[in-house]
Amino acid sequence: MLTTEERKSIIDLIHRQVVPAIGCTEPIAVALCVSKARELLGSLPESIDIQLSANVLKNAMGVGIPGTGMIGLPIAVAIGALIGKSELGLEVLRYCDSAAVARGKEYISQDRINITLDENAPDKLYITVKCKTGSHEAEARIGGEHTNFIYLRKDSEVILDKPLHQTGDDEEEDIKLTLRKVYEFATQTDIEEIRFILEAKRLNEAAAADGLRDNYGHQLGKTMCSPLGKGIMGDGIFSKILSTTSCACDARMAGAMIPVMSNSGSGNQGICATMPVVVFAEENHNTEEETIRALIISNLTAIYIKQHLGSLSALCGCVVASTGSSCGITYLMGGSYEQISYAVKNMIANLTGMICDGAKPSCALKLTTGVSTAVMSAMLAIQNKHVTSMEGIIEDDVDKSIRNLTDIGRNGMDETDHFVLDIMTNKNSK
């Protein structure tokens, strides 16, 4: 049984990890760091020098920047320096408009921005920004999490200098979750205390609707909603889950100026943990309370897995988020804790090893792969069918199975991560 203090800690954890974000969170985190350094400097920088960890660089190379119609880091950096507001966090570019984009293009053309790989970065999520004007310099660093400033300096005055994995001055360490704690919190907490999760439903449904209206990215969601898509995929719950999730991802990765509710620093993870559960609940005629509890199960499961995996890794984040949505769907089917644990095992047995090759429009394909597996895993789980400890990396203990997944993603795939980045940065020269 969870204590009152544990429940409060979990609610605080969800509020920190499930937040609105506009645009892909890696280039947005860079823009956030730039805006903070610019604010410290007190004027528009004559030059901006940026060093990025490999995983940040990988996820920022090929994704659309909201409100700009452009791809990649230079425009994100320029807009962050020109009009970014650091107090907005992952919505730092909320006020980007055509005038700002024009100024940003001019700023880029003046060769003021220098972006390099930080080969000695102490974390997979690490950003260093130095802004200079005349004899003055300001520096800002983000590490560990997308909005976690760990170092701030104006000239020789150090304003902030804290350990990399300390998320706040006086914050206690995050509560250590287990799948059982996730389930008990989601199913036993007073519904009014967790009703806030419906904001994730509202934001991500709006993003999906936007993705269906316009032609974003590879238009995977729209394709599945077309006569061709319905002719092949049908028009049932399964196809609606896939198309709606894909529409939201299409819009976000193409740079639509819309907020989505992120999870653990990723908008795609937020979409993937939310939309399959929302669509299934509507099609299955679940109650609002059941929907709320399922969304908490899904989002909190993703947060739990990310506690061990880290904010960025070589493992595609849709593996984590779709595992959460499989748990949520299993619950909506009437599943018990044991059946939810079966769903987790089925997911880990199938999707472990899916690589992250950066944020880009084709992420919609990976989300669809993860979500389709989520539905199949839930269908098996509700019938008490699951991958056993005799197979692959699965163990009888579901939490140990999760550790095996995260150990592979965090440590076992490191060499894969370096190899992927090398291909991405050198493919035009081969």
Side-chain angles (χ1 to χ4, degrees):
M1 181 72 70
L2 293 172
T3 67
T4 300
E5 188 58 37
E6 283 179 317
R7 290 184 191 281
K8 181 181 181 300
S9 296
I10 292 174
I11 288 173
D12 290 343
L13 176 62
I14 297 172
H15 278 303
R16 288 199 303 276
Q17 296 294 346
V18 180
V19 298
I22 297 177
C24 176
T25 48
E26 278 69 58
I28 294 302
V30 175
L32 174 62
C33 202
V34 169
S35 71
K36 189 69 170 182
R38 191 276 325 279
E39 290 163 4
L40 290 173
L41 187 65
S43 62
L44 185 65
E46 293 175 356
S47 66
I48 304 175
D49 290 305
I50 301 170
Q51 286 189 304
L52 304 174
S53 59
N55 288 76
V56 173
L57 185 62
K58 179 179 70 174
N59 279 349
M61 291 172 60
V63 70
I65 306 303
T68 68
M70 299 174 67
I71 290 174
L73 274 169
I75 191 62
V77 170
I79 299 297
L82 290 164
I83 57 95
K85 295 183 181 296
S86 66
E87 66 267 22
L88 297 178
L90 294 179
E91 295 183 275
V92 62
L93 301 186
R94 183 193 298 172
Y95 299 112
C96 179
D97 56 20
S98 58
V101 174
R103 291 172 62 202
K105 290 179 179 178
E106 181 180 0
Y107 193 86
I108 293 169
S109 71
Q110 295 168 352
D111 200 26
R112 296 172 180 261
I113 301 168
N114 180 44
I115 302 169
T116 57
L117 171 66
D118 185 352
E119 295 183 351
N120 298 309
D123 193 84
K124 290 184 177 182
L125 198 168
Y126 205 79
I127 301 165
T128 301
V129 174
K130 294 179 181 178
C131 291
K132 299 177 182 179
T133 294
S135 61
H136 296 288
E137 179 180 272
E139 180 178 357
R141 299 178 201 164
I142 285 175
E145 296 180 4
H146 292 76
T147 59
N148 184 36
F149 285 99
I150 59 172
Y151 185 85
L152 299 173
R153 172 180 63 84
K154 169 69 183 292
D155 293 328
S156 60
E157 180 188 2
V158 176
I159 301 162
L160 174 69
D161 188 2
K162 70 179 186 181
L164 176 61
H165 293 291
Q166 180 182 332
T167 56
D169 293 335
D170 300 309
E171 288 178 8
E172 297 180 359
E173 188 176 2
D174 285 341
I175 183 172
K176 297 304 181 185
L177 296 170
T178 63
L179 192 65
R180 173 68 73 176
K181 285 184 179 180
V182 169
Y183 178 78
E184 288 184 359
F185 174 82
T187 57
Q188 297 174 13
T189 300
D190 185 279
I191 195 66
E192 295 306 320
E193 292 189 68
I194 54 177
R195 186 176 293 276
F196 64 85
I197 200 67
L198 288 177
E199 182 65 5
K201 174 180 182 291
R202 185 187 71 80
L203 285 182
N204 293 344
E205 278 184 325
D210 199 51
L212 185 59
R213 277 193 301 270
D214 293 315
N215 295 328
Y216 289 113
H218 299 297
Q219 301 169 46
L220 178 60
K222 288 190 75 169
T223 298
M224 284 191 282
C225 291
S226 69
L228 172 65
K230 289 182 178 180
I232 295 172
M233 302 286 294
D235 194 25
I237 297 177
F238 184 63
S239 64
K240 288 178 181 178
I241 288 173
L242 299 187
S243 62
T244 305
T245 304
S246 299
C247 279
C249 182
D250 284 332
R252 176 177 178 268
M253 301 312 285
M257 196 64 172
I258 50 172
V260 301
M261 192 64 83
S262 66
N263 183 298
S264 304
S266 167
N268 278 353
Q269 286 170 197
I271 290 168
C272 198
T274 302
M275 292 315 300
V277 174
V278 167
V279 175
F280 186 89
E282 290 176 352
E283 295 293 317
N284 197 47
H285 303 292
N286 288 99
T287 66
E288 182 180 71
E289 178 173 340
E290 289 169 338
T291 301
I292 290 170
R293 296 194 186 282
L295 285 170
I296 291 291
I297 288 174
S298 180
N299 279 274
L300 194 54
T301 298
I303 291 169
Y304 163 39
I305 298 173
K306 292 291 282 189
Q307 281 186 331
H308 297 276
L309 183 63
S311 295
L312 296 177
S313 75
L315 184 70
C316 177
C318 81
V319 175
V320 175
S322 57
T323 298
S325 63
S326 187
C327 293
I329 291 171
T330 303
Y331 171 79
L332 291 171
M333 289 177 173
S336 63
Y337 167 76
E338 186 176 38
Q339 289 166 320
I340 287 172
S341 71
Y342 293 163
V344 172
K345 292 178 181 181
N346 292 339
M347 293 294 293
I348 293 172
N350 195 344
L351 289 181
T352 297
M354 183 186 288
I355 64 166
C356 171
D357 56 341
K360 62 234 176 285
S362 61
C363 284
L365 289 163
K366 292 190 176 184
L367 257 70
T368 304
T369 297
V371 171
S372 64
T373 303
V375 176
M376 289 186 288
S377 294
M379 289 168 57
L380 287 174
I382 202 66
Q383 299 177 79
N384 298 313
K385 298 174 181 176
H386 63 96
V387 179
T388 70
S389 59
M390 299 296 292
E391 306 169 70
I393 64 170
I394 301 304
E395 302 203 28
D396 290 327
D397 185 325
V398 66
D399 294 296
K400 289 182 179 179
S401 297
I402 288 172
R403 297 298 183 282
N404 292 342
L405 166 72
T406 57
D407 283 348
I408 289 170
R410 192 180 182 93
N411 302 312
M413 294 176 70
D414 271 353
E415 185 60 32
T416 299
D417 216 17
H418 295 307
F419 200 78
V420 168
L421 182 64
D422 182 64
I423 291 173
M424 291 175 63
T425 54
N426 293 289
K427 60 185 177 182
N428 291 329
S429 62
K430 294 181 178 180

